[in-house]
Amino acid sequence: MDSENSACGNPNPNPTLGPSKLMLAFRFLRALSLVHRTTPASSRTCRGRRIERAAYASMAYSAGTGRGWSRAVLRRLHHRARRRAVAPRRLSTTAGNRAEALRQLVPGGAGMDYCTLLEETADYIKCLSMQVELMQGIVDSSSSYGP
Amino acid sequence: MSSRRARSRQSTSSSRITDEQINDLVSKLQAVLPEARLHGCLSMQVSAAKVLQETCNYIRSLHREVDDLSERLSELLATTEASSAQAAIIRSLLK
């Protein structure tokens, strides 16, 4: 994260809580509250899945629609809400299908050209690791102060 | 959106993506990976294939962590009160 800040000339010198991370935290916290309010206490697995979807949703919303992977995540989430079928994966028709395994891991990767895929992957990893850090921080705080 | 389409059209038709461009993107990707994954890579060049492989492994492990943390958060929400959970979240943000 530090190298990213210095390389891009990020005006915010704080490596731990930049504005993007704060927005991410705010969105996730809001989604988490909603899940807590609306999911019955008995359905633990259901709540776990909803929290996971909230994590990806807040991640994608924070990244904005300027990224292929975030658009793909939001599409997938909205389609899931409307019809419970798994959408057929669009086969890659653009420049070759190098890095097949990576295409399956990065949302929207199947339809991207190789260069875009590499760019999107780097951004996806940054956001994903930020989300993991956030969730880990919440778990750690709750564990140390909880009952 | 249109510029993105134009970019991909240009890349497929002219095939003008140089190796240099690809190496540049691969090294940017390498910079995002945690250093432990590319053991012994104080040398400049790690093969692109290695970087891609480690990237896949890293993404898979991140997905697993999200899955695991979601379950743990689910447990926490079940056992703690909403107010103390929110207090804990705010505490973690302010650290």
Side-chain angles (χ1 to χ4, degrees), chain B residues 31 45 65 80 82 85 93:
Chain B
Q45 281 301 93
E65 280 193 66
T80 65
L93 293 180

Side-chain angles (χ1 to χ4, degrees), chain A residues 25 36 44 47 49 124 141, chain B residues 63 67 74-75 77-78 92-93:
Chain A
H36 183 66
R44 191 175 4 116
R47 190 170 46 236
R49 291 303 119 237
Y124 182 56
S141 300
Chain B
H63 284 167
D67 190 16
S74 171
E75 300 279 339
L77 284 188
S92 75
L93 293 180

